[in-house]
């Protein structure tokens, strides 16, 4: 890779820029924000040096406000800078940190940037417990604090990727007074279904994430932690605690996730979207299978806000937030709601998305609603080894839980076919055991029969989309389910009797892809995570496992999937009274929409889960 300006670097070409930035931007480090229980959190404030009041953009999170993007996440930084030079141009990048805005691109535009180290992380003391109710209350108090400052115009907006988006849903539900708008960029809104457990199956991502990205910057690491490239100060505070002291000062999240299979234990970490009524821009990623995408769409659909917009892009998880495309979108949104600018945002279509083509290009489109108006919901019956719109032969197909699974493939597409929207799969399943996990993978194959994979948000070898469901979690919430998006309450276990046949409605996460004539779709069902066999050795610095099609979203914890239960054979029953099918959202080639008999009316007002 080439050489790129990294945080803290004093390249000759940057000297003039740094002097210019120093004149127009005041930087205040470790500003104290006292919480209601006496804990003092620390924030960095970047603001215009003009003596005027401005709107605030705030983030609150556990990644260490002093840890440079390039130092903490070098592979992500270098790849982004090389492939998307606009993400690092126009800035010295000395203040650039992971998944938050670059002050040099926002302060000159008339914004105050506030970064708060969450309780127990970075330079903020306290008990570390990510996504807890205490954190959400802290966030609310920080927003109230910002709205009272002399440099504030009284309006606070929230912006940021992933963690910095996920906690926006929760704090917005508390309705802080100064909160005027939120931009949730690739941020899950349903902690249980999108982060902790997929279809009831434990995701290893959070366990590994906690160890690698959070505990490495826990407050109290002191000299054992990193230093800020911008200031030289210790990122995790000046005190160096022992490992036992650090352990005593944090929640044991791996144990919590392993010990709690059902949703009630996660209540304080779930966002109440019915209470979110602030103007919002929710930005998702088609490649976000396993985290965020579903939440960005569900947040948009189910929030009570009357002023809400959905954007969906592609590419790596962290990139589009920093590109000119992303920054322009964010600025127009915040300029309208935090500055009151008449910039045309009120005429922005409610949905903006980049429709994916198999050649790697995208097409920016605007729509009025989600799912897309006029979608033709098309049911493909599963029939022995293929899937098609007609009736299926009565039969049973089986697979070994620890094997490669089974697949159904369409006939070649007769014409260019766009699939954009949510996907559902109804299966009639039996097992030789007392429980079973279904891993559903939608895949694309070209005219020659070669599989085509996509750049996911994390994994560069991603399928079209995926879904998961544990058989004992098959119960449906009829109130929140739709024909295209089944909703499972995950409140209790439903008995699984060996060899009994049960109906399973599997939610596959939304997707967008345009398939040329001659291409085929394939649905694969397995008893374990899908692996793209042709993936070369590919790793990122902030993830434990290699990228092989499922990214860091693996489901292989032996305590959650003991071999004594998750073994044997799983059977899919087809045809007759067991109509197993895949429901696809086909977007007609013309804009004269045709609605099939499977179409359903739009969902009603959001309801509290």
């Amino acid at each position: 890779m080439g050489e790129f300006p990294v945080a803290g670097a004093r390249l000759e070409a940057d000297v003039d820029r740094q002097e210019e930035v120093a004149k127009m931007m005041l930087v205040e480090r470790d500003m104290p924000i006292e919480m209601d229980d006496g804990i003092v959190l620390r924030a960095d404030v970047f603001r215009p040096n003009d003596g005027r009041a401005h709107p605030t953009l705030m983030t609150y999170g556990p990644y260490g406000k002093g840890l440079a993007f390039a130092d903490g996440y070098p592979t992500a930084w270098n790849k982004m800078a090389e492939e998307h030079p606009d993400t690092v141009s126009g800035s010295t990048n000395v203040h650039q940190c992971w998944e938050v805005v670059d002050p040099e691109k926002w302060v000159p535009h008339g914004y105050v940037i506030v970064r708060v180290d969450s309780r127990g992380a970075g330079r903020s003391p306290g008990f570390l417990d990510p996504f807890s109710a205490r954190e959400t209350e802290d966030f609310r108090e920080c927003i109230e604090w910002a709205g009272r400052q002399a440099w504030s115009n009284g309006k606070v907006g929230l912006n940021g990727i992933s963690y910095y988006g996920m906690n926006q849903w929760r704090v917005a539900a508390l309705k802080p007074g100064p909160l005027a708008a939120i931009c949730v960029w690739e941020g899950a809104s349903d902690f249980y279904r999108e982060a902790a457990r997929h279809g009831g199956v434990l995701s290893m991502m959070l366990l590994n994430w906690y160890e690698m990205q959070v505990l490495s910057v826990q407050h109290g690491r002191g000299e054992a932690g990193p230093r800020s490239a911008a200031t030289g100060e210790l990122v995790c505070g000046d005190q160096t605690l022992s490992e036992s002291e650090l352990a005593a000062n944090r929640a044991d999240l791996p144990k919590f996730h392993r010990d709690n299979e059902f949703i009630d234990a996660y209540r304080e970490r779930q966002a109440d979207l019915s209470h979110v009524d602030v103007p919002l821009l929710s930005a998702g990623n088609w490649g976000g299978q396993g985290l965020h995408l579903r939440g960005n769409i569900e947040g948009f659909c189910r929030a009570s806000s009357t002023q809400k917009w959905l954007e969906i892009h592609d590419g790596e998880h962290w990139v589009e937030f920093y590109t000119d495309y992303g920054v322009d979108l964010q600025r127009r949104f915040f300029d309208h709601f935090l500055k009151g600018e008449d910039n045309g945002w009120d005429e922005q279509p409610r949905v903006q998305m980049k429709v994916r083509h198999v050649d790697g290009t995208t097409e920016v489109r605007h729509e009025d609603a989600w799912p897309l108006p006029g979608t033709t919901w098309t049911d493909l019956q599963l029939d022995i080894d293929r899937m098609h719109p007609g009736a299926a032969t009565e039969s049973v197909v089986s697979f070994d839980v620890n094997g490669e699974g089974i697949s159904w493939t369409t006939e070649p597409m007769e014409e260019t076919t766009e699939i954009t929207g949510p996907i559902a799969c109804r299966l009639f399943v039996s097992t030789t055991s007392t429980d079973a996990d279904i891993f559903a993978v939608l895949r694309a194959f070209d005219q020659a029969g070669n599989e085509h994979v996509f750049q996911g948000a994390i994994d560069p070898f991603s399928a079209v989309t995926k879904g998961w469901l544990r058989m004992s979690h098959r119960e449906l919430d009829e109130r929140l389910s739709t024909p295209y998006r089944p909703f499972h309450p995950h409140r209790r276990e439903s008995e699984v009797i060996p060899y009994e046949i049960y109906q399973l409605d599997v939610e596959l996460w939304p997707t967008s892809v345009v398939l040329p004539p001659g291409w085929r779709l394939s649905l694969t069902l397995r008893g374990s995570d899908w692996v793209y066999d042709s993936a070369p050795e590919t790793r990122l610095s902030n993830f434990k496992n290699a990228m092989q099609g499922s990214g860091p979203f693996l489901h292989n914890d032996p305590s959650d999937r003991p071999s004594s239960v998750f073994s044997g054979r799983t059977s899919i029953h087809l045809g007759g009274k067991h109509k197993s099918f895949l429901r696809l959202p086909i977007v007609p080639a013309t804009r004269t929409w045709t609605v099939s008999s499977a179409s359903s009316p739009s969902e009603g007002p959001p309801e509290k889960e």
Side-chain angles (χ1 to χ4, degrees):
M1 289 188 175
E3 295 297 324
F4 304 101
V6 297
R10 288 300 299 250
L11 303 180
E12 287 297 324
D14 291 333
V15 172
D16 291 341
R17 173 63 179 164
Q18 287 187 344
E19 291 177 351
E20 177 187 344
V21 169
K23 291 178 182 178
M24 60 82 181
M25 184 167 69
L26 290 175
V27 182
E28 298 168 296
R29 306 279 183 183
D30 281 349
M31 295 294 290
I33 309 178
E34 185 172 355
M35 299 295 100
D36 59 3
D37 63 353
I39 287 287
V40 177
L41 305 183
R42 296 293 173 175
D44 288 348
V45 178
F46 306 82
R47 57 190 178 90
N49 187 16
D50 60 7
R52 296 161 52 194
H54 296 279
T56 299
L57 290 181
M58 175 177 283
T59 51
Y60 173 104
Y63 296 143
K65 61 183 175 57
L67 180 61
F69 190 150
D71 293 343
Y73 304 85
T75 54
W77 172 264
N78 288 328
K79 190 173 189 294
M80 179 180 76
E82 181 180 59
E83 297 179 0
H84 305 274
D86 58 328
T87 61
V88 296
S89 64
S91 173
T92 65
N93 297 294
V94 296
H95 305 296
Q96 187 59 275
C97 295
W98 176 247
E99 299 190 331
V100 295
V101 301
D102 181 356
E104 291 185 37
K105 293 190 177 183
W106 286 87
V107 172
H109 198 67
Y111 284 92
V112 178
I113 305 303
V114 177
R115 295 174 177 168
V116 185
D117 274 343
S118 58
R119 181 180 296 239
R123 295 183 67 84
S124 290
F127 188 79
L128 178 65
D129 190 4
F131 300 111
S132 64
R134 178 66 255 185
E135 269 205 355
T136 305
E137 174 58 24
D138 287 347
F139 198 1
R140 184 194 67 77
E141 293 186 33
C142 289
I143 294 169
E144 300 281 2
W145 171 86
R148 295 193 299 267
Q149 302 310 299
W151 37 256
S152 171
N153 73 347
K155 292 186 176 181
V156 176
L158 307 179
N159 197 10
I161 310 173
S162 193
Y163 197 106
Y164 299 109
M166 293 171 73
N167 58 13
Q168 291 183 42
W169 299 113
R170 279 185 293 278
V171 76
L174 299 183
K175 306 180 188 297
L179 186 59
I182 63 175
C183 175
V184 182
W185 202 275
E186 298 193 39
S189 60
D190 188 324
F191 188 80
Y192 179 92
R193 295 175 180 85
E194 296 151 13
R197 289 180 174 268
H198 296 139
V201 188
L202 179 67
S203 172
M204 293 300 293
M205 190 274 173
L206 280 182
L207 282 66
N208 295 332
W209 160 85
Y210 192 49
E211 175 188 339
M212 297 187 71
Q213 292 185 227
V214 179
L215 300 191
S216 60
V217 287
Q218 182 182 355
H219 181 77
R221 291 213 172 271
E223 293 288 349
R227 286 187 179 271
S228 167
T231 67
E233 293 183 337
L234 293 167
V235 169
C236 305
D238 299 328
Q239 186 179 16
T240 304
L241 303 178
S242 68
E243 285 302 319
S244 61
E245 289 173 312
L246 289 168
N249 209 28
R250 65 183 183 238
D252 188 346
L253 287 191
K255 184 178 187 303
F256 172 81
H257 292 307
R258 287 188 172 102
D259 288 351
N260 293 285
E261 182 177 347
F262 299 100
I263 201 168
D264 284 346
Y266 290 84
R267 285 299 171 193
E268 73 171 56
R269 290 170 168 81
Q270 292 289 102
D272 187 347
L273 294 173
S274 68
H275 286 182
V276 176
D277 57 11
V278 68
L280 69 89
L281 169 60
S282 180
N285 187 325
W286 295 123
Q289 302 160 11
L291 191 63
H292 301 321
L293 171 62
R294 180 187 185 276
N296 280 111
I297 292 173
E298 288 288 308
F300 166 76
C301 291
R302 297 178 60 197
S304 294
S305 307
T306 57
Q307 296 176 299
K308 55 184 180 180
W309 289 264
L310 175 67
E311 187 275 345
I312 314 179
H313 49 268
D314 70 338
E316 291 95 338
H317 168 51
W318 49 88
V319 171
E320 203 70 275
F321 182 79
Y322 296 102
T323 62
D324 291 343
Y325 166 87
V327 173
D328 175 70
L329 191 73
Q330 297 160 46
R331 276 188 187 161
R332 289 195 297 115
F333 172 73
F334 283 121
D335 284 352
H336 182 73
F337 287 107
L338 301 189
K339 294 183 175 182
E341 290 187 6
D342 184 11
N343 59 5
W345 184 267
D346 54 335
E347 299 177 359
Q348 172 80 10
R350 289 306 173 104
V351 178
Q352 175 173 311
M353 58 189 183
K354 290 188 172 184
V355 177
R356 298 190 299 183
H357 291 262
V358 295
D359 63 359
T361 62
T362 59
E363 166 197 350
V364 176
R365 283 232 309 268
H366 296 95
E367 302 287 349
D368 295 325
W370 180 274
L372 307 188
T375 296
T376 298
W377 301 101
T378 302
D379 292 350
L380 300 181
Q381 303 294 321
L382 306 188
D383 188 0
I384 305 179
D385 61 351
R386 64 192 181 99
M387 53 184 175
H388 55 78
T393 303
E394 289 191 45
S395 57
V396 180
V397 292
S398 303
F399 60 91
D400 187 274
V401 167
N402 297 309
E404 295 299 312
I406 51 178
S407 298
W408 294 265
T409 303
T410 64
E411 295 298 325
M413 300 293 169
E414 295 181 358
E415 58 186 6
T416 300
T417 303
E418 179 183 338
I419 300 164
T420 298
I423 296 173
C425 184
R426 174 164 293 173
L427 303 171
F428 289 89
V429 185
S430 64
T431 175
T432 59
S433 185
T434 56
D435 209 346
D437 289 339
I438 295 293
F439 292 75
V441 188
L442 192 62
R443 304 157 69 188
F445 292 82
D446 66 17
Q447 298 95 326
N450 300 310
E451 183 164 11
H452 180 84
V453 291
F454 299 82
Q455 172 63 62
I458 304 296
D459 199 311
F461 314 110
S462 295
V464 176
T465 190
K466 297 189 185 76
W468 311 261
L469 184 61
R470 177 157 288 176
M471 206 165 177
S472 58
H473 284 242
R474 65 186 179 274
E475 180 183 0
L476 281 174
D477 185 329
E478 300 292 349
R479 181 175 55 96
L480 291 176
S481 291
T482 70
Y484 49 79
R485 198 271 284 118
F487 195 94
H488 301 89
H490 299 292
R491 290 197 175 98
R492 58 180 175 266
E493 183 178 63
S494 295
E495 184 180 17
V496 176
I497 300 173
Y499 302 101
E500 288 285 325
I501 302 172
Y502 300 98
Q503 177 180 313
L504 274 63
D505 289 280
V506 183
E507 174 190 9
L508 278 74
W509 286 20
T511 191
S512 176
V513 62
V514 178
L515 298 179
W519 282 57
R520 301 171 187 252
L521 276 177
S522 182
L523 173 68
T524 296
L525 300 181
R526 298 167 52 98
S528 60
D529 289 301
W530 175 68
V531 175
Y532 178 57
D533 292 331
S534 301
E537 177 71 13
T538 304
R539 292 181 179 271
L540 292 169
S541 58
N542 53 313
F543 297 110
K544 276 189 172 183
N545 59 288
M547 302 294 106
Q548 295 179 298
S550 291
F553 310 108
L554 301 179
H555 308 80
N556 55 7
D557 186 77
S559 67
D560 183 63
R561 305 184 74 235
S563 58
S564 59
V565 174
F566 295 92
S567 59
R569 291 184 67 77
T570 299
S571 296
I572 311 299
H573 299 258
L574 312 173
K577 64 181 180 181
H578 299 131
K579 293 181 179 179
S580 294
F581 62 84
L582 178 71
R583 177 163 291 158
L584 292 175
I586 305 297
V587 177
T590 66
R591 305 305 287 180
T592 303
W593 300 109
T594 302
V595 182
S596 74
S597 59
S599 296
S600 64
S602 300
E603 291 182 67
E607 299 177 69
K608 185 174 181 180
E609 183 186 332

